[in-house]
């Protein structure tokens, strides 16, 4: 991907702006909170992603807000379709931990 | 499909891009979850860059209840939320 070239150069120097995907690339191996369009969120360990921001996650918790309340689901490993990803928060354990009390 | 993340590190545990994940689950039992909550469980026959999926020995679960069985099923990629390997 041609767009990623300047960012990689900048990170090699250790200064300058980084591209959004460069930031996500640095988060591989760490926990990440992914907020989807609609009432769904995922928290897991980021294993990889591609140009479409399809994402591979491990030790995943899925949160889904339904009319019956919050549904929580545990999954070992998933490949998440990037098309409905809205926001990614590196280093977060998700909705329960986002606001320090 | 070129990879931004993890593409160059073929198969190591710490980096695993979607295309590598796909290679790992081809021919294995998987769960395909759709945006509407429906789950399809079956053997992953093939999959492409649109996330179009072909499954064999497919079972359709709606709200956790088995609703239907199909020998072969094609799922259009726009409906796919995620794919995960079936546990044991």
């Amino acid at each position: 991907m041609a767009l990623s070239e300047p960012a990689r150069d900048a990170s090699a120097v250790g200064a300058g702006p980084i591209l959004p995907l460069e930031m996500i690339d640095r988060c591989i191996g760490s926990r990440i909170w992914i907020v989807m369009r609609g009432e769904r969120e995922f928290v897991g360990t980021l294993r990889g992603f591609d140009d479409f921001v399809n994402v591979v996650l491990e030790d995943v918790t899925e949160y889904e807000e339904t009319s019956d309340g919050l549904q929580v689901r545990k999954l070992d490993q998933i490949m998440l379709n990037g098309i409905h990803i809205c926001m990614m928060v590196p280093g977060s354990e998700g909705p329960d931990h986002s606001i320090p009390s | 499909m070129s990879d931004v993340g993890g593409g160059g590190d073929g198969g190591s545990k710490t980096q695993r891009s979607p295309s590598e994940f796909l290679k790992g689950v081809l021919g294995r039992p998987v769960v395909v979850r759709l945006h509407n909550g429906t789950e399809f469980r079956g053997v992953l026959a093939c999959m492409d860059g649109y996330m179009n999926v072909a499954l064999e020995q497919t079972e359709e679960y709606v709200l956790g209840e088995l609703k239907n069985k199909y020998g072969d099923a094609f799922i259009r990629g726009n409906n796919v939320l995620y794919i995960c390997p079936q546990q044991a």
Side-chain angles (χ1 to χ4, degrees), chain A residues 20-92:
Chain A
L21 287 185
E22 182 75 11
M23 186 183 99
I24 301 306
D25 195 41
R26 291 180 187 188
C27 299
I28 287 177
S30 53
R31 300 291 283 175
I32 194 163
W33 173 26
I34 298 178
V35 181
M36 312 290 286
R37 218 158 61 191
E39 305 296 316
R40 207 188 293 272
E41 301 174 11
F42 292 88
V43 178
T45 305
L46 181 66
R47 286 302 173 208
F49 64 96
D50 62 18
D51 290 355
F52 306 108
V53 201
N54 300 319
V55 166
V56 178
L57 292 175
E58 250 176 39
D59 305 321
V60 190
T61 312
E62 175 188 357
Y63 300 89
E64 184 185 6
E65 191 67 58
T66 66
S67 49
D68 301 334
L70 186 68
Q71 275 196 355
V72 181
R73 207 176 270 105
K74 300 273 185 189
L75 304 152
D76 279 353
Q77 191 177 57
I78 65 169
M79 194 224 313
L80 184 63
N81 193 343
I83 198 164
H84 286 288
I85 288 178
C86 184
M87 174 172 76
M88 304 210 274
V89 185
S92 174

Side-chain angles (χ1 to χ4, degrees), chain B residues 29-60:
Chain B
V30 294
V31 180
V32 178
R33 197 171 167 79
L34 310 189
H35 288 109
N36 65 14
T38 307
E39 260 183 29
F40 287 89
R41 290 163 179 268
V43 176
L44 184 64
C46 62
M47 186 183 168
D48 64 15
Y50 299 105
M51 279 203 161
N52 295 324
V53 171
L55 290 178
E56 292 165 348
Q57 306 160 37
T58 316
E59 297 174 326
E60 178 183 358

Side-chain angles (χ1 to χ4, degrees), chain A residues 25 28 47-48, chain B residues 5-17 20:
Chain A
D25 195 41
I28 287 177
R47 286 302 173 208
Chain B
D9 200 16
S12 89
K13 176 74 178 152
T14 47
Q15 287 202 0
R16 203 146 131 95
S17 65
E20 285 161 14

Side-chain angles (χ1 to χ4, degrees), chain A residues 6-20 22-23 26:
Chain A
R8 285 183 193 280
D9 290 342
S11 71
V13 176
I18 59 166
L19 289 171
E22 182 75 11
M23 186 183 99
R26 291 180 187 188

